[in-house]
Every structure is written in structure tokens, then in C-alpha cells.
Amino acid sequence: MHVQLDGVPSHHLPLLLAAYQHRFGRDLEALSRHLIDDVAVGWQELGTDLLDGAPPSLITALTGTEQWPSRTLDHLITPDGSPPVRMTVTDQTADAQDMDWGYVLHRQGIEVISLLHENIGPVVDWSTHPHTAFNDHPGAWSSLAPPPGMQPVRRTRSRTAPAPAPADARATRPATAADPHPRPGSPSAPAPRR
């Protein structure tokens, strides 16, 4: 599903991870319905309403005191007056939509695709802390390397604590949740290519 604004990983991943972990209670099907199936045309932007149910400290860490709603593109007016067309992202539509990033919801996590470089990307596990700092450089999101994220910022850190182990890199696309509407990256709908 097309999202118009703020498509970089540092914006989308914290919202998607927090939404999955808190608002949707780790229910991938409910999250998918909300983000994909229940949208008539597309998204203008994803907002802080995706953080509903998250701890106040996490909301503050991710947004400060700002609050903004998710907004859809349902009220578009086309040049010829015809109803707007649903803005799903496929191999055929990705170029026309001028997409730089793709996010595919899998059972294991969120596949992040830098469409400027590849048509497949590493998977960020659903258990990843939403406050993790994610790199926005497209070249950092290679399908042959772990997701480029750092550990969440903590106030104190033990000097004897071991360094965190990097996430496993995935060179092949993980299995996608069974879905009547294929998403880019699912076996029946390959990821968009640039």
C-alpha cells in the first residue's frame, strides 16, 4: 500500500514495530488489515495513532510531545473527476509511484527494501525494540547483511555487558502470512524493482 510521506526506516520502522507490539497485540493479521485491506486508496502518512496502547515513555521517546493522526488519501480528486484508484505497490506500479522504500510484513518481521538498490532486503524481527535507531541510507539495507540498526539508547550501560549480537541476515525472502491480497514480496507478488 502506498504511503506518501516519511518513508524512511527511521520513521516507519518504529511506528510499525510499536503498532505490532502494542496496539495490535502482536496480531499480524490485524495489523495487515488495518494498514492494507481497510484502506480504500492509500496513505498520506502514518501517524502516532499507531502507538495507541504503547507505554507513555516509548511514545515520548519516539515522538516527543507531538501527536498527529494517520491520514489516508481517500479524498483525492483526479483530473478527469473519476474516482481515485487504489494505490497498491506491485512490480508494475512501483516505478510510476516513484517509491524509494518498500516494507513487506512477514511472519518473522518487516522486510525493508531499498528500491534504489535491490528488490529484496533484510528482515527486522518483530521483537526489535521500536526505539532502535535505524539507518536511513539506502545502501545500508543490503539483503546480504543484517538490518542496520543500533541498540535502543539507554541511560546507563554496564561495562561488563556483552555487545549485542547482530541479527541474522536473510538472503532469501521469508515466508509471508497467508493472505487473499498478495503484497509486494509475497510468493505470488514479487517485490517491486527499480
Side-chain angles (χ1 to χ4, degrees):
M1 184 56 56
H2 180 83
V3 179
Q4 190 72 31
L5 299 175
D6 297 323
V8 295
S10 65
H11 179 268
H12 276 10
L13 285 173
L15 287 176
L16 294 172
L17 290 167
Y20 171 80
Q21 294 171 11
H22 300 286
R23 178 174 174 178
F24 294 95
R26 299 186 179 276
D27 183 343
L28 181 57
E29 296 305 319
L31 175 64
S32 297
R33 274 192 309 276
H34 175 76
L35 292 174
I36 299 164
D37 300 334
D38 294 346
V39 178
V41 177
W43 291 99
Q44 175 71 29
E45 69 178 314
L46 300 179
T48 56
D49 52 298
L50 289 175
L51 302 175
D52 289 354
S57 60
L58 175 61
I59 295 170
T60 300
L62 294 179
T63 68
T65 58
E66 270 190 83
Q67 296 288 312
W68 66 93
S70 295
R71 295 181 300 151
T72 62
L73 293 168
D74 297 342
H75 302 293
L76 293 178
I77 299 173
T78 60
D80 65 359
S82 63
V85 177
R86 186 170 164 84
M87 298 174 74
T88 54
V89 181
T90 65
D91 280 339
Q92 294 75 32
T93 64
D95 284 339
Q97 293 183 27
D98 197 28
M99 306 290 294
D100 292 334
W101 294 94
Y103 301 90
V104 182
L105 308 180
H106 295 284
R107 292 252 179 241
Q108 303 91 318
I110 305 167
E111 180 180 6
V112 181
I113 305 169
S114 168
L115 297 172
L116 298 174
H117 294 281
E118 300 185 60
N119 66 353
I120 187 173
V123 175
V124 176
D125 192 276
W126 285 117
S127 64
T128 303
H129 195 286
H131 194 226
T132 300
F134 293 102
N135 190 326
D136 289 338
H137 190 278
W141 291 90
S142 169
S143 62
L144 302 175
M150 301 180 328
Q151 291 298 315
V153 178
R154 294 191 176 115
R155 295 179 200 259
T156 61
R157 182 176 175 155
S158 168
R159 292 179 188 253
T160 60
D168 290 337
R170 301 192 188 274
T172 58
R173 188 172 313 281
T176 312
D179 193 323
H181 305 287
R183 293 168 182 74
S186 70
S188 60
R193 296 179 189 201
R194 291 275 269 153

